[in-house]
């Protein structure tokens, strides 16, 4: 038996996102150079954001007799709910001194590879199911696969890697997620062995 089966699938969850927050504290008078040590954004608990997923860039400037510090925090999230909680925390703690840019959604190469594998497995499963249904119509049973070949794979939509893609600020959050959703389809060719009724009866003896 030689059935063919396509399958299409999209990543079920929102892709990872980068969120940029610019912190601009009010200038403070200081007669000497800025004190040593790190200052800037409020501490984010390790339970919320891992250090390797957060990048902080600080810029000190002198305006007359005062020093001003601006900080940009870039955080990579893979959990949509966690991203919203951290953004709300920054706004609650810092108020108008923080500006949070709209999130940029993208897919890692590992996530795209996982999607390709899942689509291929789903296509093979669909093909086997169709072959089983045809065999039942003729009172036969489906045997082992003799050949499985992936013939065509298509991918569309979504942003790959962490490269920033410019998008209008007027887009809603749902529109950004929809625009970043990745889709994939796969077409496979498979040859299965067909067992007759006699072979099937012998199998149970």
């Amino acid at each position: 038996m030689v059935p063919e089966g396509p399958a299409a699938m999209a990543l079920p969850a929102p892709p990872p996102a980068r969120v940029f927050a610019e912190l601009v504290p009010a200038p403070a008078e200081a007669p000497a150079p800025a004190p040593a040590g790190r200052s800037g954004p409020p501490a984010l608990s390790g339970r919320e954001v891992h250090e390797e997923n957060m990048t902080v860039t600080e810029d000190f400037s002198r305006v007359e007799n005062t020093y001003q510090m601006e900080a940009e925090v870039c955080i990579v999230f893979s959990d949509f709910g966690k991203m919203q909680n951290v953004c709300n925390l920054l706004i609650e703690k810092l108020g108008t001194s923080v500006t949070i840019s709209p999130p940029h959604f993208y897919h890692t190469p590992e996530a795209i590879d996982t999607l390709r594998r899942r689509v291929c497995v789903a296509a093979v499963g669909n093909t086997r199911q169709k072959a089983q249904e045809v065999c039942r119509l003729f009172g036969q049973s489906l045997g082992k696969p003799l050949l499985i070949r992936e013939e065509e794979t298509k991918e569309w939509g979504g942003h790959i890697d962490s490269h920033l893609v410019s998008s209008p600020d007027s887009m809603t959050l749902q529109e950004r997620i929809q625009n970043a959703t990745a889709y994939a389809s796969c077409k496979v060719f498979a040859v299965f062995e067909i067992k007759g009724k006699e072979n099937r009866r012998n199998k149970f003896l």
Side-chain angles (χ1 to χ4, degrees):
M1 190 166 191
V2 187
E4 293 184 359
M9 190 178 296
L11 287 175
R18 277 191 171 189
V19 176
F20 294 90
E22 184 178 1
L23 313 175
V24 187
E29 293 187 359
R38 191 186 185 93
S39 61
L44 298 177
S45 171
R47 292 172 297 178
E48 296 174 339
V49 178
H50 294 289
E51 186 175 349
E52 61 269 19
N53 294 331
M54 181 171 62
T55 303
V56 180
T57 303
E58 298 175 346
D59 178 50
F60 287 91
S61 59
R62 181 170 182 173
V63 180
E64 296 180 351
N65 294 327
T66 63
Y67 289 88
Q68 179 173 301
M69 188 276 288
E70 294 184 2
E72 181 183 84
V73 182
C74 176
I75 309 175
V76 180
F77 295 94
S78 58
D79 185 304
F80 185 77
K82 184 182 294 184
M83 178 193 73
Q84 289 184 312
N85 291 337
V86 172
C87 290
N88 292 339
L89 174 65
L90 290 173
I91 293 176
E92 177 186 351
K93 298 297 183 181
L94 298 175
T96 57
S97 65
V98 61
T99 301
I100 298 180
S101 302
H104 163 70
F105 296 100
Y106 68 94
H107 300 285
T108 62
E110 293 78 12
I112 295 298
D113 288 340
T114 300
L115 177 62
R116 294 190 188 107
R117 291 193 298 270
R118 290 176 56 190
V119 170
C120 183
V121 171
V124 174
N126 291 343
T127 302
R128 184 175 183 274
Q129 183 178 0
K130 291 179 181 178
Q132 285 178 324
E133 293 175 356
V134 173
C135 284
R136 280 195 291 265
L137 289 176
F138 293 96
Q140 308 293 318
S141 62
L142 189 66
K144 63 182 180 180
L146 303 177
L147 172 66
I148 298 177
R149 181 174 67 241
E150 183 177 354
E151 291 197 330
E152 184 182 54
T153 300
K154 293 182 179 179
E155 300 171 13
W156 64 96
H159 305 319
I160 311 300
D161 296 330
S162 58
H163 300 298
L164 297 179
V165 178
S166 58
S167 55
D169 292 337
S170 59
M171 292 180 63
T172 65
L173 187 59
Q174 290 299 324
E175 288 173 338
R176 290 176 180 273
I177 294 176
Q178 183 177 2
N179 187 49
T181 301
Y183 299 88
S185 66
C186 180
K187 182 178 180 181
V188 299
F189 175 87
V191 178
F192 292 92
E193 180 185 41
I194 297 180
K195 296 181 179 180
K197 293 183 178 179
E198 182 178 352
N199 291 337
R200 184 170 56 182
R201 284 198 302 267
N202 293 335
K203 180 178 180 181
F204 291 102
L205 293 179

